[in-house]
Amino acid sequence: MNIFEKIYCRIFQFCFKVAIPFLPYRNPVILDNVESISQILKEKHAEKVLIVVDSNIEKLKLNYNLEKTLTDNNILFFKYDKIFSDPTINNVEEAKNLYIENKCQAIIGFGGGSAIDCAKAVGARIARPNLSIPKMAGILKILKEIPLLIAIPTTAGTGSETTVATLITDSETKRKYMIGDFPLIPKYAILDAENIKTLPQNITAFVGIDVLVHAIEAYIGNSTTKKTREQSLQAVSLVYKNLYDTYLDGNNLEKRRNMLQASYLAGCAFTISYVGYCHAIAHTIGGMYHVPHGLANAIIIPYVLEAYGEKIYKKLKELGVAAGLFDENINQEQGAKIFIESIKDLNSKMGIGTKIDAIKKEDINEIVKNALKEGNPVYPVPVLMGKKELSLIVEKLMK
Ligand SMILES: [Zn+2]
């Protein structure tokens, strides 16, 4: 990256940082059990609702309690359950049509990031019927209230319940469209550990490490605030105290609850302080080869942190203290290295490897191009990177 590109990126990021206190960020109202949803819907006079649920979650019947509560309270629901991995434009259009045909009055996103992202995009399409998904891509294109949106995360990972963003894929071109605007922040988020106790072990691991990566990338970036730094530190501490135990015993509701809390805190932090190149590469690889988002992030993060080098030693040491790995008297470089090694250890204990086999040599240029397009100038990364640096990271990810 040349000096003029670097200056452009930093000025862009500086303007966003200065604007943070003036932007209409808000956090969703948090509730801790699914049963409370009927009360909210009644207060808002919503008698017909659309549920957007991941197909896998539907198979696991995790939405049983939600549907029972709605039925018991005479709230009619219509269910869209055709999301198989990343939500596509077709998913959004089909779910939107279901909402309109049945004159629904609220949207419930139930599941992982995919279902909640799809629910957000449905809301956006209803608020802006004349704007297609590709036309909404980017930031601040909606600028209008969307229908009542309630997010019920079931994976304790994506943080999508707190964020302004949604990521929708065009299934034909494989292109991903990021839409970011304040009306997309759900009004309510229900963090109910009962919903996630049957989550399979590997998914628990992937989404748990994703939480950690959200917290790390938000913390080491240049656009942090006192609050997002605190939220990141708390999230890291919760992940180190709870993730591996949850992986070993999914029925431990207290640990599951703590991971939901970590996911929420990390989500709040990165909504304001952004993520970094790890996510930019993971999104691209996820879109090209269908590698689960959390798995991609888990494998990529140590390489990205090592590539940032000494610029982030101090912050990584602070994260290591929050993780309980050592006390603050440790030397910065040593602390940073122990923290990176601890992520590798956690990955390995949970069966996560160190390479992404799917990456093809001939695709490196495309991966790097798309990752740079996502990362620069928006992500306030600690060290700006260009084609050369990102290519080196992607090469290391290959077998
Ligand atoms: Zn993520």
Side-chain angles (χ1 to χ4, degrees):
M1 181 182 276
N2 68 42
I3 186 74
F4 297 106
E5 286 169 326
K6 282 189 182 174
I7 292 171
Y8 165 67
C9 286
R10 290 308 191 204
I11 290 175
F12 181 97
Q13 293 158 11
F14 178 76
C15 294
F16 261 83
K17 187 175 179 180
V18 170
I20 289 173
F22 307 102
L23 294 173
Y25 285 109
R26 57 176 168 79
N27 291 333
V29 177
I30 299 296
L31 303 162
D32 62 7
N33 68 75
V34 157
E35 286 72 27
S36 49
I37 199 167
S38 50
Q39 185 63 32
I40 301 166
L41 293 170
K42 281 181 181 164
E43 280 169 16
K44 307 281 177 191
H45 308 289
E47 290 161 356
K48 291 182 189 176
V49 300
L50 173 73
I51 302 178
V52 180
V53 58
D54 288 305
S55 133
N56 284 331
I57 301 288
E58 166 75 12
K59 279 189 205 124
L60 296 168
K61 300 267 171 268
L62 297 185
N63 40 330
Y64 175 80
N65 277 350
L66 169 67
E67 293 180 12
K68 184 173 183 309
T69 299
L70 295 176
T71 308
D72 290 350
N73 287 279
N74 298 320
I75 296 164
L76 214 52
F77 64 85
F78 301 87
K79 187 162 57 182
Y80 183 76
D81 60 359
K82 307 270 184 303
I83 305 166
F84 299 100
S85 58
D86 296 333
T88 62
I89 295 178
N90 289 346
N91 291 143
V92 175
E93 295 304 313
E94 286 171 3
K96 180 204 75 178
N97 292 341
L98 194 62
Y99 181 99
I100 293 171
E101 279 160 21
N102 295 292
K103 300 188 172 55
C104 294
Q105 296 142 317
I107 308 168
I108 301 170
F110 188 100
S114 300
I116 298 174
D117 274 6
C118 183
K120 287 176 172 176
V122 170
R125 287 284 290 125
I126 290 162
R128 289 279 181 198
N130 299 326
L131 276 186
S132 65
I133 293 289
K135 285 196 176 143
M136 283 180 191
I139 48 174
L140 305 179
K141 300 274 177 71
I142 301 167
L143 304 167
K144 199 176 164 195
E145 276 291 294
I146 67 168
L148 173 63
L149 174 63
I150 301 173
I152 312 182
T154 59
T155 54
T158 66
S160 182
E161 71 273 15
T162 66
T163 67
V164 293
T166 173
L167 202 65
I168 304 296
T169 306
D170 182 327
S171 47
E172 272 159 35
T173 63
K174 305 280 176 256
R175 202 168 152 197
K176 295 207 171 211
Y177 294 99
M178 198 283 285
I179 304 167
D181 204 345
F182 298 98
L184 296 181
I185 304 173
K187 284 269 181 327
Y188 295 88
I190 301 181
L191 308 182
D192 188 338
E194 280 287 339
N195 289 332
I196 59 167
K197 68 180 182 191
T198 53
L199 202 66
Q201 208 177 25
N202 61 338
I203 300 183
T204 300
F206 300 164
V207 297
I209 293 283
D210 192 28
V211 172
L212 182 65
V213 178
H214 293 157
I216 295 172
E217 292 210 293
Y219 191 80
I220 62 175
N222 289 343
S223 280
T224 61
T225 66
K226 187 167 180 278
K227 192 165 172 198
T228 65
R229 288 193 293 276
E230 279 168 11
Q231 287 166 331
S232 300
L233 291 171
Q234 278 176 35
V236 167
S237 165
L238 284 167
V239 169
Y240 274 78
K241 282 188 188 131
N242 297 284
L243 175 57
Y244 187 55
D245 290 342
T246 321
Y247 172 81
L248 294 177
D249 174 18
N251 285 313
N252 188 328
L253 282 188
E254 196 194 327
K255 299 261 172 188
R256 288 278 197 198
R257 213 168 278 130
N258 290 339
M259 281 306 297
L260 275 172
Q261 180 66 14
S263 172
Y264 172 75
L265 288 166
C268 291
F270 89 77
T271 270
I272 291 175
S273 296
Y274 297 88
V275 282
Y277 290 130
C278 180
H279 266 80
I281 300 170
H283 285 147
T284 306
I285 287 174
M288 286 174 84
Y289 310 113
H290 301 291
V291 181
H293 174 72
L295 173 63
N297 267 329
I299 300 172
I300 299 166
I301 190 71
Y303 295 105
V304 171
L305 296 180
E306 281 166 356
Y308 284 143
E310 60 184 335
K311 189 82 193 279
I312 58 167
Y313 283 168
K314 179 173 179 290
K315 286 193 166 178
L316 290 188
K317 181 199 119 174
E318 288 160 2
L319 290 171
V321 173
L325 299 172
F326 38 74
D327 68 34
E328 55 195 27
N329 297 319
I330 197 167
N331 151 304
Q332 285 179 4
E333 179 175 355
Q334 207 186 349
K337 288 183 175 165
I338 294 174
F339 182 65
I340 296 174
E341 285 308 308
S342 76
I343 302 171
K344 293 182 189 169
D345 282 351
L346 191 55
N347 277 344
S348 141
K349 283 197 294 186
M350 298 195 296
I352 295 173
T354 56
K355 306 280 171 189
I356 301 176
D357 303 347
I359 300 175
K360 296 193 191 91
K361 202 164 183 229
E362 60 268 30
D363 293 338
I364 294 180
N365 273 345
E366 180 78 5
I367 296 170
V368 169
K369 191 179 95 192
N370 289 337
L372 284 174
K373 205 193 264 175
E374 177 178 325
N376 296 336
V378 177
Y379 295 161
V381 288
V383 178
L384 285 168
M385 293 187 192
K387 201 168 162 224
K388 196 172 115 207
E389 294 89 344
L390 283 203
S391 300
L392 275 176
I393 295 175
V394 177
E395 278 165 23
K396 284 183 185 165
L397 291 167
M398 294 172 61
K399 266 224 148 110

